[in-house]
Amino acid sequence: MEFAAHGFEAASTRSIAAAADTQQPQINYHFESKEALWKAALDHLFDRLDESMRRHAAALPAPVTARDRLAVTVRSFVHAAAELPELNRIMVHESTVPSDRLRWIVDRHTRPRFELVATEWRAARATGEVPPIDESVLYYSLVGAASLAYVNAPEAELLGYNTLDPAFIVAHADALVLTFLPAPISEPQRPVREGTTT
Amino acid sequence: MEFAAHGFEAASTRSIAAAADTQQPQINYHFESKEALWKAALDHLFDRLDESMRRHAAALPAPVTARDRLAVTVRSFVHAAAELPELNRIMVHESTVPSDRLRWIVDRHTRPRFELVATEWRAARATGEVPPIDESVLYYSLVGAASLAYVNAPEAELLGYNTLDPAFIVAHADALVLTFLPAPISEPQRPVREGTTT
DNA sequence: GCAATTCTATATCACTTGATCTAATTTGTC
DNA sequence: GACAAATTAGATCAAGTGATATAGAATTGC
């Protein structure tokens, strides 16, 4: 995906067309502009994100507590981030500078998903199941911790790590649940409620 | 910084020159090429990162244990990431696709800093002071958790949060120490060894 | 004070960009 | 098979790209 590799401006319609094995004017025929193509691509990627998270959540034990629900969300998001590095790459490309495109994404895709995580976090906070961390701090810490390894996969490879190895992904998900969602203080440190996947 | 806002390809030498209130050919006069300018900019930004981390570390209580040393590193990095969002923006722009520029950064700047954190982590792991997490998983989780809020500051603002507010930054640093470096299992959950900074 | 050097400004190079126009081709329907 | 609609292909547009050539203006060293 050209938008993920280089960002909107640097992705030329000719290279996009070439990657799709067609000609450059086809983009303006089937979409009204480069920006309309970009929006269609993002809608599609967010659909795939939702589908991927639902699929991975379904493979996990059903959650009981509010903390369990967050653990499922965290594990599902880690797996989805590994499956769809393009999406988080585009997000980080677009989120570094204010723009109409950023406003479009935030209104249409980011805010609803942020509210979902914030609501889950508030519920777990209310019962004292998770550490005393504000939801805005938590959101960016969690999303950043879950996505960077896959966004920066080419860098990780140069450092000698294969972040697309299933073993890495599972260890990564385990680590985030262990750190952000430790078992309640009165219990032992290890999280034991959720099973590990794949 | 134009490179941080749009990435290397999308940052035109004319807009860079305009931002510096000069003419476009000056870039090829004072530097040999656009790429040479970019390398000079990165060397400068990494110098500022090191200086910023040293300055913030000096303002914290002197560490005693290996875990304390990591806590100082984490807090210093959070503050530096907030101070220098441009650097992590460039890093994330460049790390999404293999390139000669990425190899140059990793060899010159990333790998030495990764080794530093990995070494500190291994030392704390050896004494059982930190959770059982592999250093590669830890590195990307920690860097991602510490930097995304500032890299994506324009997005956070649209969500109604000001991640450049000193109160956010301190809460953020506290949260990362609390989660990634919880007090040893035998002690209470809250981190108490390091003071909070401005 | 004046020449040598360094820096700045303008014009221009070949090339790439997103978009559009027009003609050729394929597809769908009877 | 015929005809209309949808799609594809090629050519071309003005605007923007990094780099360079050249001439003018400051600055430096003596």
Side-chain angles (χ1 to χ4, degrees):
Chain A
M1 227 287 212
E2 299 291 315
F3 287 134
H6 312 101
F8 181 83
E9 282 92 356
S12 78
T13 54
R14 279 170 179 81
S15 63
I16 294 170
D21 203 39
T22 182
Q23 293 76 27
Q24 180 258 347
Q26 293 291 80
I27 287 170
N28 287 76
Y29 177 78
H30 290 284
F31 304 87
E32 80 172 16
S33 66
K34 181 184 178 184
E35 183 159 328
L37 166 67
W38 177 89
K39 288 183 177 178
L42 254 79
D43 281 345
H44 178 66
L45 281 170
F46 272 104
D47 280 349
R48 289 180 60 196
L49 173 72
D50 291 339
E51 182 274 322
S52 177
M53 284 191 68
R54 262 185 270 111
R55 178 161 38 81
H56 285 108
L60 293 166
V64 179
T65 65
R67 177 187 159 280
D68 288 352
R69 259 189 296 283
L70 273 163
V72 168
T73 301
V74 168
R75 288 186 190 281
S76 303
F77 183 67
V78 169
H79 282 88
E83 247 176 61
L84 288 170
E86 303 90 353
L87 179 55
N88 284 311
R89 280 171 189 160
I90 292 177
M91 289 302 293
V92 95
H93 276 304
E94 293 295 335
S95 300
T96 56
V97 74
S99 72
D100 288 340
R101 288 197 307 277
L102 177 58
R103 271 182 289 278
W104 181 88
I105 309 180
V106 170
D107 288 340
R108 192 178 174 91
H109 296 293
T110 312
R111 190 175 290 113
R113 287 169 180 82
F114 166 78
E115 293 296 346
L116 200 121
V117 173
T119 301
E120 279 188 350
W121 185 254
R122 275 193 296 268
R125 286 276 294 118
T127 57
E129 295 175 80
V130 291
I133 298 173
D134 183 76
E135 62 203 47
S136 60
V137 169
L138 173 96
Y139 178 75
Y140 282 105
S141 300
L142 201 50
V143 173
S147 62
L148 188 66
Y150 314 107
V151 168
N152 280 16
E155 181 199 74
E157 191 181 333
L158 290 178
L159 287 177
Y161 297 101
N162 178 12
T163 57
L164 295 180
D165 179 352
F168 178 93
I169 300 171
V170 170
H172 186 196
D174 285 346
L176 295 192
V177 170
L178 175 63
T179 51
F180 286 97
L181 305 169
I185 302 178
S186 51
E187 302 181 19
Q189 191 76 0
R190 293 274 203 79
V192 289
R193 292 235 178 75
E194 321 75 32
T196 57
T197 46
T198 334
Chain B
M1 226 285 212
E2 299 292 313
F3 287 135
H6 312 101
F8 180 83
E9 282 92 357
S12 78
T13 54
R14 279 171 181 80
S15 63
I16 294 169
D21 203 40
T22 181
Q23 292 78 28
Q24 181 257 349
Q26 293 292 77
I27 287 169
N28 287 78
Y29 177 77
H30 290 284
F31 304 88
E32 81 172 16
S33 67
K34 182 183 177 183
E35 182 159 328
L37 166 67
W38 176 89
K39 287 183 177 178
L42 254 80
D43 281 346
H44 178 65
L45 280 170
F46 272 104
D47 280 349
R48 290 181 59 196
L49 173 72
D50 291 338
E51 182 274 321
S52 176
M53 285 191 68
R54 263 185 271 111
R55 179 160 37 80
H56 285 108
L60 293 167
V64 178
T65 65
R67 178 188 158 277
D68 289 352
R69 259 189 296 284
L70 273 164
V72 168
T73 300
V74 168
R75 289 186 189 280
S76 303
F77 184 66
V78 169
H79 282 89
E83 248 177 59
L84 289 170
E86 302 90 355
L87 178 55
N88 283 312
R89 281 173 189 159
I90 293 178
M91 288 305 291
V92 95
H93 276 304
E94 293 295 335
S95 300
T96 56
V97 73
S99 72
D100 288 340
R101 288 197 306 276
L102 177 58
R103 272 182 289 278
W104 181 89
I105 307 181
V106 170
D107 289 340
R108 191 178 176 91
H109 295 293
T110 312
R111 190 175 290 113
R113 287 169 180 83
F114 166 79
E115 293 296 348
L116 199 121
V117 173
T119 301
E120 279 189 350
W121 185 254
R122 275 193 296 267
R125 286 276 294 117
T127 57
E129 295 175 77
V130 290
I133 298 173
D134 184 76
E135 62 203 45
S136 60
V137 169
L138 174 97
Y139 178 76
Y140 282 105
S141 300
L142 201 51
V143 172
S147 60
L148 188 66
Y150 313 107
V151 168
N152 281 16
E155 181 199 73
E157 191 180 333
L158 289 177
L159 288 177
Y161 297 101
N162 177 13
T163 56
L164 296 180
D165 179 352
F168 178 94
I169 301 170
V170 170
H172 187 197
D174 284 346
L176 295 192
V177 170
L178 175 64
T179 50
F180 286 97
L181 305 169
I185 302 180
S186 52
E187 301 183 19
Q189 193 76 0
R190 294 273 202 76
V192 289
R193 293 237 179 74
E194 320 74 34
T196 57
T197 45
T198 330

